[in-house]
């Protein structure tokens, strides 16, 4: 199994593209700003090159982690300790011969990405949001953004990664 860094780099762009759309004032940006307490002045004072640079780096980390969630064959690879030669013999080879690239579709990746959003992102955001006394509206805006984003990333990584 090889890591396809080009696909991961492409998938890492999804959060930025989705963010431009989701948090645009014409969609949910105005509501999001109100719920967070941000103002136009505060938004303009941010170091945007640093924010976008780090956001892309973190998105790449997320894409790297998603690979193991959405591509089942990585589970087989982990069973042999990440040894590529062990994939050619024994149980790992039999599993790969039987299943090969089964479930390597965009839709399958979207499913696992969406489940990751529901069962990983939602509990984390909801717990933090409750302790930070954030509104449920803000929690759902952010969780829905990340669930859709991770679902799209999962689809791309599963299909082409």
């Amino acid at each position: 199994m090889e890591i396809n860094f080009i696909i991961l780099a492409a998938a890492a762009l999804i959060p930025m593209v989705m963010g431009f759309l989701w948090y645009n004032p014409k969609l949910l940006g105005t509501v999001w700003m109100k719920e967070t307490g941000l103002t136009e002045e505060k938004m303009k004072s941010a170091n945007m090159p640093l924010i976008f640079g780090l956001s892309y780096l973190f998105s790449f980390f997320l894409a790297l982690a998603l690979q193991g969630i959405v591509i089942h064959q990585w589970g087989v690879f982990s069973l042999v300790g990440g040894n590529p030669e062990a994939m050619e013999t024994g149980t790992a080879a039999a599993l790969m011969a039987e299943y090969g690239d089964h479930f390597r579709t965009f839709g399958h990746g979207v499913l696992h990405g969406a489940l990751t959003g529901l069962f990983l992102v939602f509990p984390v955001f909801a717990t933090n949001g409750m302790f930070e006394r954030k509104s449920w509206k803000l929690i759902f805006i952010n969780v829905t953004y990340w669930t859709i984003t991770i679902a799209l990333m999962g689809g791309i990584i599963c299909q082409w990664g």
Side-chain angles (χ1 to χ4, degrees), residues 6 20 27 32 44 52 57 67 108 117 141-142 149 151:
I6 294 170
F20 287 127
L27 195 55
W32 173 79
K44 290 179 183 176
F52 283 127
L57 177 66
Q67 188 171 240
H108 193 79
I141 287 170
N142 288 328
T149 297

Side-chain angles (χ1 to χ4, degrees), residues 23 40 73 75 91 94 103 146:
Y23 295 104
E40 290 286 337
Q73 289 79 0
T91 305
F103 308 110
W146 276 110

Side-chain angles (χ1 to χ4, degrees), residues 76 86 89-96:
V76 175
T89 61
T91 305
L95 280 169
M96 292 305 288

